[in-house]
Amino acid sequence: MAHPSPALRFRLLLDAEHALGPGKADLLEAIAATGSIAAAGRSMGMSYKRAWQLADDLNRSFAEPLIAANKGGEHGGGTTLTATGEKVVRAYRDIERKAKLACAAELRVLSRLLAD
């Protein structure tokens, strides 16, 4: 039987009131993929209200908005990531990747020590 694999999950504390973790990073990526806060939330199994609250928190956490709402149009508006939003996701994923690489040996040690 294979050993369980420990995994790292990062929550970056931006300040005393705001954080960026895997859920918010996933939400930003889902918004980029779907063009909608509602669709992004649904794809993650969360309510529109919760997705909107997280999106609003992300926008308030940074000097420039990460998410831009586009109003109107024949089929209604949509939502996109701003250039800053794209940079934030890229930076978070880079931190995540580098930390996993830096801790790979220790994670292997812990994996071998875990019960089956």
Side-chain angles (χ1 to χ4, degrees):
M1 176 184 242
H3 287 283
S5 297
L8 297 175
R9 289 184 51 97
F10 294 94
R11 185 169 190 237
L12 302 175
L13 303 178
L14 303 171
D15 60 28
E17 297 177 17
H18 301 101
L20 176 62
K24 287 181 180 176
D26 290 348
L27 179 65
L28 288 170
E29 290 172 333
I31 289 168
T34 64
S36 162
I37 292 173
R42 278 193 305 274
S43 75
M44 296 176 65
M46 71 175 71
S47 70
Y48 172 76
K49 180 179 179 182
R50 181 68 180 142
W52 190 90
Q53 288 171 335
L54 293 173
D56 184 55
D57 182 65
L58 284 162
N59 274 349
R60 288 184 289 107
S61 297
F62 291 87
E64 297 177 7
L66 307 188
I67 302 159
N70 304 311
K71 300 200 188 255
E74 184 177 325
H75 302 287
T79 307
T80 58
L81 294 190
T82 64
T84 302
E86 291 172 0
K87 287 177 188 175
V88 166
V89 171
R90 210 168 26 254
Y92 177 84
R93 294 302 185 198
D94 285 347
I95 291 167
E96 185 177 56
R97 179 184 48 78
K98 288 176 182 178
K100 286 177 183 179
L101 286 172
C103 297
E106 291 82 0
L107 289 172
R108 283 191 299 275
V109 168
L110 289 173
S111 180
R112 288 191 298 270
L113 297 171
L114 289 172
D116 287 330

